[in-house]
Amino acid sequence: MTPAMRTGPGPSSGTPAPARLLRAVGPPLSSLPLAAAVRGAVALATPLLVGVLTGWVVPSVIAAIGALWAVGQDGSDPYPSRVGRFVALGLSASLGLAGGELALRSGPSAVVTVCLVVAALVAGAIGLRGRIWSVAGMHLLLGVTIGGGIPVPGPWWQAPIALFAGVSFVLVLSSAPWLWRRHHIERAALRAVFRAASTALAAAGTPGTAETRRHLTDALDNAHQTMDRHLTSSRRQPPDARVEPLLRAFRLAVRLGEAVTTLQWEARPLPAVVSRAPLVMSARLLPVRKDGDVPVLPDFGPHSPGLHALAQLSVAADAERVDTALAAPASPRPTRQAHLRYAVLLALCVLAAQVCADLLHSPRAYWLPMTVAFVYKPDFGPVFRRALNRCVGTVVGAAAIGAVSMAVHGTYAFIGVVAFFGALMAVGVRHHYALATTGLTAVVFVLVDLLGDHRALYGARMLDTALAAALVLVVHFVAWPRSAVSRADSRTQAALAAAHRYQDLSPTVGPNRRHALRRAAYRQLADARRAAVHARREPVLRGAEPPDWERAITSAEELCDAVTARALHAAPGPAAQTTVTVASSDAM
């Protein structure tokens, strides 16, 4: 253990327990994603309206359940990514629903329990392999839970088809804008990079320098992920004429990040004209209107190597092509042991939830294992925070739908209620898990009522959720208490290695390779910082404070800043000084 990674109180040390609890709930709601809210409302209300008008109520409710799960996975990522995620969700959920139905119709309750445990083992085994695998695993388990817990009349194959139809409906709603806004998401991600670069330049020489540089790194990471498909295809064949301007803007954005880092390293305030330069570059590279006025590039003069690099980029904004081959930086994957442990623990939680449901009373037949499937997702963030948000959202959602039920009467009125809470869930998916859970809980109550279960189970569902969350927390923190710490350790180690690799190879490679090394280092440092934040939000035993990852990550960021500046001949000296601080972290 070195000074850069010393153990001791972390950033949350000394914070009162109530404050830590409130912080664990999450950040406040900010802007409203109107398009996503409309999609959520339409996706959930439409199947129910069709079912009521045609008399096919049961299939329409099952389709609404599929739409509900799909709304929970809707996002603002590129359209091909959404399609892959929705298809994986629909197939896995439909397969799970069919398996659960067949198990339920076979007779003995033990068959349902065995089916749930097998589904949990499969979900856990694939759940840490990436976003699509994680979504597929969770919804396989959810499908088995619903199929094995809610008797659905009709042929066994009817409900899975209806469920897939509901998912497909959300897929169409979410991906339809691709037809008339083909590269809108990519352009928005690239413009965000230039805006972040402008903000970073304005903060040069101020205490906010490091924070704005991290925002620029996050924007570049998002743009890199968004553009990765186009970057990969452009290495195999010439890009489409509509994609070439986006590739040129991205490659210039990567070089802009290097110039901005250098100017920030010089640690002196810059004229306002300099901070406006990235915005002008963005307007020239990614114009909002084709017939708009072309902005004039600023003339700020090459007063330093950093400004000289920025001036060169301003000129390059008019060039036909900037050739910089970049591959998306990879993040370290969980080990095989982590996959196996998560699979076993998830299966154990599901088994315990099912046993509790059998020992208590029948309304708990599916809610307990369903809650376990939603809560125990360590790859989605801190388990403790997710469990707490789930409980809060369930209480608020049950209370809200209970109050609405006393004031609203009639099927069409309740469909309107579903539309409202579907929109609320869509907003929560992007902003806050407790808000998403509030919308989901209220919608589920209405859907179950439409299936013929008219029991008032508001209090029971609150207790069920608390019980399932408690089961997850007990099993997780008894059997795998250091999972978040281990993840933060591995991410930090990988980030430090990437920083050293950038430092060692940067002086000896060409610009293309240097940019790739720099992107990989900053991307992994950002991943490590997020992993450290997640680990800080998990409870720790007294006297077992985790390492000070943030200090090592900050030192590595300073090293990368120095190496970047040195590459542009801006700061040859400080890089060597920073090396000593971070190089010793290999002994961690």
Side-chain angles (χ1 to χ4, degrees):
M1 190 68 64
T2 66
M5 289 293 292
R6 71 188 189 282
T7 56
S12 62
S13 179
T15 306
R20 290 201 302 271
L21 188 64
L22 288 175
R23 186 175 58 194
V25 174
L29 180 66
S30 54
S31 58
L32 177 68
L34 183 60
V38 171
R39 284 200 300 270
V42 172
L44 290 172
T46 302
L48 300 180
L49 282 172
V50 171
V52 170
L53 294 175
T54 61
W56 288 60
V57 176
V58 172
S60 73
V61 171
I62 300 299
I65 292 175
L68 178 70
W69 290 347
V71 167
Q73 295 299 325
D74 195 7
S76 56
D77 49 337
Y79 298 114
S81 300
R82 300 188 206 180
V83 172
R85 189 166 62 251
F86 284 135
V87 169
L89 187 162
L91 291 176
S92 60
S94 300
L95 177 63
L97 183 63
E101 272 198 291
L102 292 174
L104 182 64
R105 295 179 185 215
S106 68
S109 61
V111 178
V112 174
T113 301
V114 171
C115 189
L116 279 170
V117 171
V118 171
L121 285 170
V122 174
I126 67 176
L128 301 182
R129 296 181 180 274
R131 177 71 187 275
I132 289 182
W133 287 105
S134 179
V135 169
M138 181 174 72
H139 288 87
L140 173 70
L141 180 54
L142 287 173
V144 173
T145 302
I146 296 300
I150 301 179
V152 180
W156 67 268
W157 47 263
Q158 187 179 73
I161 292 176
L163 187 79
F164 191 83
V167 175
S168 300
F169 182 49
V170 179
L171 187 156
V172 171
L173 291 176
S174 182
S175 303
W178 178 82
L179 296 174
W180 62 88
R181 296 195 306 176
R182 184 67 57 92
H183 300 301
H184 168 75
I185 294 172
E186 290 89 338
R187 295 171 71 86
L190 290 168
R191 288 194 184 103
V193 175
F194 289 96
R195 288 196 302 270
S198 175
T199 303
L201 289 173
T206 70
T209 298
E211 189 65 25
T212 57
R213 202 265 303 136
R214 288 171 192 147
H215 286 316
L216 175 58
T217 296
D218 290 341
L220 270 169
D221 288 345
N222 182 57
H224 207 157
Q225 184 177 4
T226 302
M227 292 293 298
D228 185 51
R229 181 174 61 93
H230 302 299
L231 291 167
T232 302
S233 62
S234 68
R235 288 192 289 271
R236 296 193 299 264
Q237 59 186 11
D240 183 88
R242 292 172 295 184
V243 175
E244 176 58 32
L246 301 175
L247 293 172
R248 182 155 53 92
F250 171 74
R251 289 159 179 155
L252 279 170
V254 172
R255 294 174 59 188
L256 176 63
E258 187 176 56
V260 170
T261 300
T262 301
L263 287 167
Q264 286 195 327
W265 185 261
E266 293 174 358
R268 61 186 178 86
L270 298 170
V273 68
V274 175
S275 63
R276 288 198 300 270
L279 301 179
V280 176
M281 293 170 63
S282 175
R284 295 179 74 89
L285 291 163
L286 304 164
V288 178
R289 294 177 54 191
K290 293 183 179 180
D291 57 347
D293 295 333
V294 178
V296 179
L297 291 167
D299 180 15
F300 39 79
H303 301 297
S304 71
L307 285 174
H308 179 65
L310 191 60
Q312 286 182 321
L313 288 177
S314 298
V315 174
D318 289 328
E320 291 186 2
R321 181 179 177 86
V322 180
D323 190 13
T324 304
L326 287 173
S331 298
R333 296 291 186 186
T335 63
R336 185 174 300 177
Q337 181 183 7
H339 287 287
L340 178 60
R341 182 179 293 190
Y342 173 53
V344 172
L345 293 183
L346 179 60
L348 182 61
C349 289
V350 168
L351 176 60
Q354 187 69 5
V355 169
C356 288
D358 290 339
L359 292 177
L360 295 171
H361 52 79
S362 56
R364 292 183 166 85
Y366 65 90
W367 197 274
L368 277 164
M370 182 184 73
T371 302
V372 168
F374 276 122
V375 169
Y376 201 9
K377 293 295 297 175
D379 55 317
F380 282 8
V383 176
F384 174 75
R385 178 177 174 178
R386 194 170 177 85
L388 180 61
N389 285 331
R390 188 80 194 178
C391 292
V392 172
T394 301
V395 170
V396 175
I401 195 64
V404 169
S405 299
M406 292 188 293
V408 173
H409 303 282
T411 303
Y412 291 104
F414 271 104
I415 292 176
V417 171
V418 167
F420 171 79
F421 282 105
L424 185 68
M425 178 183 171
V427 173
V429 165
R430 288 158 179 76
H431 289 285
H432 203 293
Y433 184 57
L435 190 63
T437 302
T438 298
L440 182 143
T441 301
V443 170
V444 168
F445 269 104
V446 177
L447 296 182
V448 170
D449 185 77
L450 290 173
L451 283 175
D453 188 350
H454 305 299
R455 293 172 294 177
L457 300 174
Y458 307 113
R461 293 316 184 201
M462 296 179 192
L463 293 176
D464 292 346
T465 301
L467 178 58
L471 282 172
V472 168
L473 293 178
V474 169
V475 171
H476 179 68
F477 288 111
V478 168
W480 203 7
R482 291 184 57 82
S483 62
V485 171
S486 299
R487 192 179 305 113
D489 279 341
S490 63
R491 293 289 173 92
T492 303
Q493 290 278 17
L496 296 183
H500 289 312
R501 190 162 54 249
Y502 176 44
Q503 175 199 15
D504 295 339
L505 298 180
S506 179
T508 62
V509 298
N512 290 357
R513 178 63 174 156
R514 188 181 75 240
H515 290 311
L517 290 167
R518 177 181 177 275
R519 289 291 306 118
Y522 281 108
R523 169 69 176 270
Q524 294 200 33
L525 286 166
D527 285 346
R529 189 174 288 279
R530 282 189 287 270
V533 170
H534 288 170
R536 297 284 181 203
R537 288 173 175 166
E538 297 284 32
V540 295
L541 297 175
R542 185 176 298 276
E545 291 290 342
D548 191 355
W549 301 290
E550 291 84 356
R551 182 179 177 185
I553 294 169
T554 298
S555 297
E557 288 171 342
E558 292 172 355
L559 168 64
C560 292
D561 292 349
V563 171
T564 299
R566 192 159 128 185
L568 296 183
H569 308 287
Q577 298 173 4
T578 311
T579 302
V580 178
T581 304
V582 184
S584 60
S585 296
D586 287 337
M588 178 182 63

